[in-house]
Amino acid sequence: MDETVKKVYAWCLFLASLVIGFGVRVVQQLFLVNQETGFYTDGNITSIIVSLFLILGVVGVLLTCQMNRKEFPNEYIPQQSRVTGGVAYLTGALLIVQGIATLFRVGTSHTEGLSEAELVASGVQHPILYSILALTGIAAGIIVLVEASGFWLGRNPLRAVPVATLVPQLWGCMGLVILFIKFTEVVNTDENIYLILSMVFLLLFFSAQAKLLAGIEENRNMRLAYGFGLSAILLGVVTAAPDIIAFVIGAQQADGYLMLDRIMIFVLSCYVGAFLFSQNEIKNWLPSVNHTKHSTI
């Protein structure tokens, strides 16, 4: 099969999974949630549809990256992208805000009068873990702000300090630990699984991106960054965006800190998308798009 045809099929599968998964999840959050139990009222039919398309999208992206490994560059060249820089600045700032909010939540929360769900959401039952998560989140936000300046100027400031690229991965690991703890303390739902998987792929993306920025196995890690990054976008947008929409229009009530987590997942997905699109190689995947060696978006 022609390589261009493979790419078109891959993009169609990814976009179909994103659009259908997002659309069905919006319908779930607006019309199918039992406000008392939190479960869906359609017998989980829509959950099966969302899960199926998410699986197809992730598998399709990963297989396509594997099949087209020769098309990825052997060297990572920083691209000047004001869009990527702007989204990265927003992401770094939000990571810092989330970390400060988490520290404030842990420091001011009390157990008296809180329901079980509120206890889990507040983090008061695990103050040390949540404090570590907050501190690593603040540190990761600072590193992302440094990355943002590089994207804005078309440079790679972290190349001189490669160990700093590990900080976002550390935050991702702590985030996964917290998610596992939280979801063993509440009734498990499909949405919780989506959140865990989105964090897993974000962590894998951060790992590949860190090696790219450090100049390690750039061909392989560019391919992994695309595969894991697009998967993280798919899961992150489908999981977080419908919750945000339902909260904004008042269709569902949610803890403010919980909604901040959803916003963080969505913004991180935007950051991943902006980073990938700023690289010339992803434009090679789009049919009939001309590109140059260095681009400014």
Side-chain angles (χ1 to χ4, degrees):
M1 182 182 297
D2 181 79
E3 294 300 321
T4 302
V5 176
K6 289 181 182 179
K7 296 171 189 176
V8 172
Y9 281 156
W11 275 110
C12 288
L13 184 57
F14 171 76
L15 293 175
S17 300
L18 181 62
V19 171
I20 295 175
F22 173 77
V24 174
R25 283 269 299 139
V26 168
V27 172
Q28 282 183 330
Q29 296 306 305
L30 296 184
F31 306 110
L32 300 178
V33 175
N34 186 317
Q35 298 298 331
E36 295 182 358
T37 65
F39 290 105
Y40 300 123
T41 58
D42 65 336
N44 287 328
I45 295 176
T46 52
S47 294
I48 294 173
I49 295 173
V50 172
S51 299
L52 176 62
F53 275 94
L54 287 177
I55 291 171
L56 289 175
V58 169
V59 171
V61 164
L62 295 177
L63 286 179
T64 304
C65 288
Q66 183 70 18
M67 290 188 297
N68 295 281
R69 62 172 66 189
K70 293 182 180 179
E71 297 191 20
F72 291 95
N74 293 318
E75 180 183 6
Y76 168 69
I77 300 176
Q79 306 292 321
Q80 184 182 17
S81 172
R82 298 297 169 84
V83 171
T84 305
V87 175
Y89 277 125
L90 173 63
T91 304
L94 190 57
L95 278 167
I96 294 173
V97 169
Q98 185 190 43
I100 294 173
T102 301
L103 286 176
F104 178 80
R105 174 175 53 182
V106 172
T108 59
S109 295
H110 303 283
T111 58
E112 295 83 1
L114 293 181
S115 66
E116 183 178 353
E118 290 171 331
L119 283 172
V120 174
S122 69
V124 69
Q125 295 175 310
H126 308 284
I128 295 178
L129 286 178
Y130 274 82
S131 297
I132 295 174
L133 175 67
L135 293 174
T136 55
I138 293 172
I142 294 172
I143 297 302
V144 173
L145 289 177
V146 175
E147 291 179 4
S149 66
F151 300 141
W152 191 269
L153 300 173
R155 301 173 182 173
N156 182 11
L158 295 179
R159 190 67 170 258
V161 194
V163 68
T165 61
L166 298 177
V167 177
Q169 299 178 61
L170 181 60
W171 170 79
C173 288
M174 284 304 305
L176 273 178
V177 171
I178 293 296
L179 284 178
F180 279 122
I181 291 174
K182 285 174 64 175
F183 295 153
T184 57
E185 295 175 347
V186 297
V187 177
N188 191 33
T189 64
D190 293 335
E191 185 173 336
N192 295 342
I193 297 174
Y194 301 155
L195 279 174
I196 289 177
L197 289 177
S198 66
M199 281 300 300
V200 167
F201 280 110
L202 279 171
L203 180 57
L204 291 171
F205 166 79
F206 280 132
S207 177
Q209 185 194 43
K211 293 175 183 177
L212 275 178
L213 297 176
I216 300 173
E217 295 183 346
E218 292 162 85
N219 177 278
R220 176 175 181 272
N221 285 297
M222 181 66 78
R223 171 168 50 89
L224 293 178
Y226 279 115
F228 297 145
L230 290 174
S231 299
I233 294 169
L234 178 60
L235 286 159
V237 171
V238 170
T239 302
D243 289 346
I244 297 171
I245 293 172
F247 177 77
V248 168
I249 68 176
Q252 285 194 40
Q253 300 297 319
D255 176 81
Y257 292 109
L258 177 63
M259 194 49 53
L260 181 59
D261 291 341
R262 295 295 192 274
I263 294 172
M264 188 73 255
I265 291 291
F266 179 74
V267 171
L268 281 168
S269 300
C270 294
Y271 164 73
V272 173
F275 172 79
L276 294 181
F277 196 80
S278 70
Q279 306 305 306
N280 281 325
E281 286 66 37
I282 201 168
K283 296 164 192 172
N284 294 335
W285 284 38
L286 298 173
S288 302
V289 175
N290 295 324
H291 58 279
T292 57
K293 187 63 177 177
H294 295 276
S295 64
T296 302
I297 298 178

